[in-house]
Amino acid sequence: MADLKEALHLDPFIPLREGTGQALPHVLSLGTALVAGVQFTLLAAALLSLVRRKPTQVRGSRLAWGAFSLVNFVGPISYFLFGRKR
């Protein structure tokens, strides 16, 4: 069984995760980093927009939209679609 674990381990410089016997493949690591980057960019853009807009330019409470923006992807996208007055 140890030989199989070593054969599946792609990069010897990335240690095996404790307890699982597997390393996270590079493709999944890159994909996770990209998704996290998009999420944080959306969050930052939504919060920056909320701070810069006057209360009359936002539908509802700016505080409520700020809290809702913390919900992954759904919050910032909802703010941009429904929370801003154009």
Side-chain angles (χ1 to χ4, degrees), residues 4 12 15-17 30 35 38 41 51 55 57 61 79 81 84:
L4 178 60
L16 297 174
R17 292 186 294 171
L30 181 60
V35 169
V38 169
T41 301
V51 168
Q57 295 176 321
S61 167
Y79 165 71
L81 291 177
R84 298 182 303 163

Side-chain angles (χ1 to χ4, degrees), residues 14-86:
I14 297 177
L16 297 174
R17 292 186 294 171
E18 277 299 314
T20 63
Q22 298 177 9
L24 191 61
H26 292 292
V27 173
L28 290 180
S29 296
L30 181 60
T32 302
L34 285 172
V35 169
V38 169
Q39 166 58 33
F40 285 121
T41 301
L42 279 171
L43 174 63
L47 294 177
L48 190 61
S49 173
L50 277 168
V51 168
R52 289 184 174 176
R53 286 182 182 273
K54 296 177 184 175
T56 58
Q57 295 176 321
V58 177
R59 290 187 182 107
S61 167
R62 289 193 304 172
L63 182 62
W65 277 114
F68 188 61
S69 291
L70 297 174
V71 177
N72 289 345
F73 290 103
V74 175
I77 292 172
S78 295
Y79 165 71
F80 287 121
L81 291 177
F82 308 114
R84 298 182 303 163
K85 291 182 182 176
R86 295 175 201 243

